[in-house]
C-alpha cells in the first residue's frame, strides 16, 4: 500500500448546503432522460422502470462508498486519490489520467451538444463560434468564485427540476380528468396494459442497462463539491442519502407519467418523449421548451466538467513527478486552481476545432463513446479501493458507513463488470467497447511501468 498523504493548499469553502443539494439533484438528472428515454422505453417497455431501479441502487452503493471515503478524509479534492492511496501508484496512475481524460472528452461532447441546441434557434450561427463563446462564459464562472459556480449550477438544476415537475403534474391531471389524445386515452393503466417483462426479448432488456447506465454517469461529481463546502461532514451524508428518493421521483416518476400519457407500445425510439408528451398536452412550443431544458442540462454538465476535471488535474499535479505538470499545483489568492481550470478549458476547446474538420468528426464520436465506457472501469477501481480502505488503519468505524458493505460492494463490482460485458453484444456499442478495452490494455501496460509507490510533493 502506498502512502499518499497530501499537503494540498486549502481550497475555497464557497459552496453552501443549498448549492450542494441542488447540484446533487441536477447530477442525477442527465440529458439522457430528456432525449434518450424514448429509446430505452422502446427497448424494454415498462420494464425500463426496473432497469432504472437496479442501476440506481448500485450507483447509490458506489456513492455511499465514495461518501464514506470522503467523510473519513474530506480534504481530498477528488475521490480518485483514494485509488492511489489504497491500491498503489500504478492503479492510481491509470485511474487519475483515464478519469481526467474521460471527463475532458465528456466536456467536449457536452460543448458540441450545447452548440447543436443553440442552433435550433440560430441555425446560421457557426458551431465553433457558439462553442467558443459558451466555453469562455463558463470558464469565467469557474474562475471567479466557487460560490458563483454553485449558484450557476443551482439554477441549471432548478430548470431541470421544474421541467420534470411540470411533466409529472401535467400527466397526473390528464390521467385524473380522463384526457384523450391523438394516440389514445391518458390513464395510469397504460403502463401495465399488456405488460411483459421482456416485451422485445431478453436481449433488448439487457441492452437497456447500458443505455440507462450512461444516463447516470457524472453522479459522482457531487463528491468533489463537498470538499469546497463550509462543513463537508454535515453536507455530504445529506446529499448522498437523498439520491435514492431523487431517482425514484425524478427518473421513475417521469418515465411512469410518460408511459401514462403515451402508450409505451407506440413511443418511437428516435424522438424525445418529453417533446411528444407536452405536444399531446396542447403545448405547441413543446419542442422549443424541451430544447431549452436540454440546453441548460448540457450547459450544466459542461460547467460540472470544468469544475470536476480541474480539481482532478490539480490533484493529479500533486501525484505526478513530471516537471511539466508541477505549475498546475499553484492555487490563486482566492484558493482556486486557476491554472488547472484554464488548462482543462483549453483541452475542451479542441471540440470547436473538431467541428471545423468533418473528416475527424466520426473519430471524435468514437473516442467520446469509448471514453464514456471507461467510467465503468473507474467505478470498479474505486469500489476495490474502498474495500482496501476498510482493511486499513484509516478506517473510521464511526464515520458515514456503507450499509452491508461485505455484500453490497462486491455485488456492485460484479454489476458494473456485467454492464461493461453487455456493451460487446450491442452492435452500436461494440466498437467503442473495444476501444476502451484497448485503452485498458495499452494504458494499463504504461501504468505498470510506473513506480509502485510515490512520495507526494510537499
Amino acid at each position: 500500500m502506498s502512502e499518499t498523504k497530501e499537503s494540498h493548499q486549502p481550497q475555497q469553502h464557497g459552496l453552501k448546503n443549498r448549492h450542494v443539494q441542488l447540484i446533487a439533484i441536477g447530477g442525477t438528472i442527465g440529458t439522457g432522460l430528456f432525449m434518450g428515454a424514448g429509446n430505452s422505453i422502446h427497448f424494454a417497455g415498462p420494464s425500463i422502470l426496473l432497469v432504472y431501479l437496479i442501476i440506481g441502487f448500485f450507483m447509490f452503493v458506489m456513492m455511499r462508498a465514495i461518501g464514506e471515503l470522503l467523510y473519513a478524509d474530506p480534504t481530498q479534492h477528488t475521490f480518485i486519490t483514494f485509488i492511489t492511496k489504497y491500491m498503489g501508484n500504478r492503479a492510481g496512475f491509470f485511474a487519475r489520467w483515464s478519469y481526467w481524460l474521460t471527463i475532458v472528452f465528456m466536456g467536449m461532447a457536452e460543448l458540441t451538444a450545447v452548440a447543436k441546441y443553440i442552433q435550433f434557434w440560430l441555425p446560421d450561427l457557426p458551431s465553433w463560434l457558439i462553442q467558443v463563446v459558451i466555453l469562455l462564459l463558463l470558464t469565467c464562472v469557474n474562475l471567479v468564485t466557487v460560490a458563483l459556480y454553485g449558484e450557476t449550477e443551482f439554477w441549471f438544476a432548478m430548470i431541470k427540476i421544474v421541467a420534470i415537475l411540470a411533466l409529472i403534474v401535467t400527466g397526473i391531471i390528464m390521467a385524473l380528468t380522463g384526457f384523450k389524445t391523438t394516440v389514445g386515452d391518458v390513464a395510469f393503466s397504460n403502463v401495465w396494459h399488456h405488460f411483459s417483462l421482456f416485451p422485445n426479448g431478453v436481449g433488448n432488456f439487457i441492452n437497456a442497462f447500458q443505455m440507462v447506465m450512461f444516463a447516470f454517469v457524472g453522479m459522482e461529481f457531487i463528491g468533489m463539491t463537498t470538499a469546497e463546502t463550509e462543513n463537508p461532514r454535515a453536507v455530504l451524508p445529506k446529499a448522498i442519502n437523498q439520491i435514492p428518493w431523487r431517482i425514484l421521483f425524478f427518473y421513475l416518476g417521469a418515465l411512469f407519467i410518460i408511459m401514462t400519457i403515451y402508450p409505451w407500445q407506440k413511443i418511437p425510439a428516435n424522438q424525445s418523449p418529453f417533446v411528444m408528451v407536452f405536444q399531446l398536452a396542447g403545448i405547441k412550443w413543446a419542442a422549443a421548451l424541451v430544447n431549452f431544458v436540454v440546453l441548460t442540462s448540457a450547459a450544466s454538465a459542461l460547467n460540472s466538467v470544468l469544475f470536476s476535471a480541474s480539481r482532478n488535474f490539480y490533484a493529479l499535479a500533486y501525484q505526478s513527478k513530471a516537471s511539466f505538470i508541477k505549475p498546475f499545483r499553484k492555487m490563486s489568492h482566492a484558493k482556486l486552481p486557476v491554472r488547472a481550470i484554464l488548462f482543462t478549458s483549453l483541452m475542451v476547446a479542441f471540440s470547436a476545432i473538431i467541428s471545423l474538420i468533418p473528416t475527424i468528426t466520426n473519430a471524435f464520436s468514437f473516442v467520446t463513446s469509448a471514453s464514456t465506457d471507461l467510467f465503468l472501469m473507474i467505478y470498479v477501481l474505486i469500489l476495490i479501493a474502498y474495500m482496501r480502505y476498510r482493511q486499513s488503519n484509516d478506517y473510521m468505524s464511526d464515520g458515514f458507513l456503507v450499509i452491508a458493505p461485505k455484500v453490497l460492494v462486491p455485488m456492485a463490482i460484479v454489476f458494473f463488470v456485467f454492464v461493461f460485458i453487455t456493451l460487446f453484444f450491442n452492435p452500436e456499442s461494440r466498437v467503442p467497447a473495444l476501444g476502451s478495452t484497448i485503452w485498458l490494455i495499452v494504458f494499463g501496460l504504461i501504468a505498470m511501468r510506473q513506480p509502485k509507490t510515490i512520495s507526494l510533493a510537499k
Side-chain angles (χ1 to χ4, degrees), residues 40-41 43-59 195-199 201-216 247 251-252 255 259 415 418-419 422:
S40 54
I41 292 172
F43 267 84
S47 296
I48 198 64
L49 298 173
L50 179 61
V51 174
Y52 269 92
L53 197 61
I54 293 171
I55 294 177
F57 173 76
F58 285 114
M59 286 297 288
F195 177 80
S196 171
L197 187 60
F198 310 120
V202 177
N204 281 329
F205 176 77
I206 293 175
N207 281 336
F209 276 90
Q210 56 185 271
M211 297 168 62
V212 173
M213 181 73 226
F214 297 119
F216 284 90
I247 292 171
Y251 272 117
L252 273 66
L255 290 168
M259 289 184 285
F415 175 74
F418 157 75
V419 174
T422 64

Side-chain angles (χ1 to χ4, degrees), residues 96-97 99-109 111 135-136 138-140 142-143 221 301-317 325 328 337-352:
R96 59 186 180 258
W97 279 105
Y99 191 70
W100 180 73
L101 285 169
T102 296
I103 298 174
V104 168
F105 279 121
M106 180 179 173
M108 293 169 72
L111 185 58
L135 186 59
L136 283 173
L138 292 181
T139 300
C140 289
N142 279 267
L143 286 173
F221 288 178
L302 178 57
N303 201 29
S304 293
V305 161
L306 295 176
F307 179 92
S308 175
S310 61
R311 271 60 179 179
N312 271 284
F313 197 71
Y314 172 75
L316 199 156
I325 205 172
F328 296 100
V338 171
R339 293 181 179 180
I341 292 170
L342 289 172
F343 184 72
T344 298
S345 295
L346 183 63
M347 291 293 292
V348 173
F350 276 101
S351 173

Side-chain angles (χ1 to χ4, degrees), residues 81-93:
T81 56
F82 294 108
I83 296 175
T84 302
K85 186 171 185 178
Y86 298 111
M87 294 184 66
N89 181 51
R90 291 172 177 173
F93 179 88

Side-chain angles (χ1 to χ4, degrees), residues 203-282:
N204 281 329
F205 176 77
I206 293 175
N207 281 336
F209 276 90
Q210 56 185 271
M211 297 168 62
V212 173
M213 181 73 226
F214 297 119
F216 284 90
V217 162
M219 183 187 288
E220 70 280 1
F221 288 178
I222 183 62
M224 297 172 203
T225 62
T226 55
E228 303 194 34
T229 60
E230 295 168 344
N231 192 351
R233 284 183 172 165
V235 173
L236 183 67
K238 291 180 183 178
I240 291 179
N241 281 337
Q242 290 177 16
I243 286 175
W245 305 112
R246 291 167 185 145
I247 292 171
L248 284 171
F249 184 79
F250 289 105
Y251 272 117
L252 273 66
L255 290 168
F256 184 88
I257 291 300
I258 286 170
M259 289 184 285
T260 294
I261 299 172
Y262 208 117
W264 60 269
Q265 300 94 333
K266 301 178 182 179
I267 294 177
N270 59 350
Q271 293 184 41
S272 166
F274 275 76
V275 173
M276 294 184 292
V277 164
F278 282 129
Q279 285 176 338
L280 289 175

Side-chain angles (χ1 to χ4, degrees), residues 15 19 23 141 145-155 303:
L15 294 179
H19 291 143
I23 291 169
V141 165
T145 62
V146 172
L148 182 58
Y149 161 79
E151 201 64 36
T152 306
E153 280 300 287
F154 179 90
W155 290 107
N303 201 29

Side-chain angles (χ1 to χ4, degrees), residues 199-446:
N200 297 306
V202 177
N204 281 329
F205 176 77
I206 293 175
N207 281 336
F209 276 90
Q210 56 185 271
M211 297 168 62
V212 173
M213 181 73 226
F214 297 119
F216 284 90
V217 162
M219 183 187 288
E220 70 280 1
F221 288 178
I222 183 62
M224 297 172 203
T225 62
T226 55
E228 303 194 34
T229 60
E230 295 168 344
N231 192 351
R233 284 183 172 165
V235 173
L236 183 67
K238 291 180 183 178
I240 291 179
N241 281 337
Q242 290 177 16
I243 286 175
W245 305 112
R246 291 167 185 145
I247 292 171
L248 284 171
F249 184 79
F250 289 105
Y251 272 117
L252 273 66
L255 290 168
F256 184 88
I257 291 300
I258 286 170
M259 289 184 285
T260 294
I261 299 172
Y262 208 117
W264 60 269
Q265 300 94 333
K266 301 178 182 179
I267 294 177
N270 59 350
Q271 293 184 41
S272 166
F274 275 76
V275 173
M276 294 184 292
V277 164
F278 282 129
Q279 285 176 338
L280 289 175
I283 301 175
K284 295 180 180 180
W285 40 275
L289 171 65
V290 174
N291 190 73
F292 173 71
V293 173
V294 294
L295 168 60
T296 57
S297 182
S300 169
L302 178 57
N303 201 29
S304 293
V305 161
L306 295 176
F307 179 92
S308 175
S310 61
R311 271 60 179 179
N312 271 284
F313 197 71
Y314 172 75
L316 199 156
Y318 267 89
Q319 293 189 323
S320 176
K321 290 188 175 182
S323 57
F324 79 91
I325 205 172
K326 289 181 180 179
F328 296 100
R329 297 173 181 173
K330 187 175 178 61
M331 278 272 195
S332 70
H333 292 299
K335 304 302 180 187
L336 291 169
V338 171
R339 293 181 179 180
I341 292 170
L342 289 172
F343 184 72
T344 298
S345 295
L346 183 63
M347 291 293 292
V348 173
F350 276 101
S351 173
I353 298 173
I354 289 171
S355 68
L356 293 171
I357 310 172
T359 53
I360 65 171
T361 301
N362 290 337
F364 170 62
S365 299
F366 163 74
V367 172
T368 303
S369 299
S371 65
T372 304
D373 296 344
L374 289 170
F375 274 100
L376 292 166
M377 299 180 190
I378 300 298
Y379 293 165
V380 170
L381 286 175
I382 192 62
L383 288 172
I384 294 173
Y386 167 77
M387 293 170 72
R388 297 275 183 91
Y389 154 77
R390 283 185 57 85
Q391 299 167 354
S392 74
N393 294 328
D394 299 328
Y395 175 61
M396 185 186 289
S397 59
D398 59 345
F400 178 50
L401 305 180
V402 174
I403 302 168
K406 292 182 180 179
V407 176
L408 296 183
V409 173
M411 282 178 63
I413 292 172
V414 171
F415 175 74
F416 290 134
V417 172
F418 157 75
V419 174
F420 186 80
I421 291 172
T422 64
L423 296 172
F424 292 92
F425 294 93
N426 185 343
E428 293 182 3
S429 61
R430 188 176 301 140
V431 175
L434 287 170
S436 60
T437 304
I438 292 170
W439 173 271
L440 171 65
I441 295 169
V442 173
F443 206 68
L445 290 173
I446 295 172

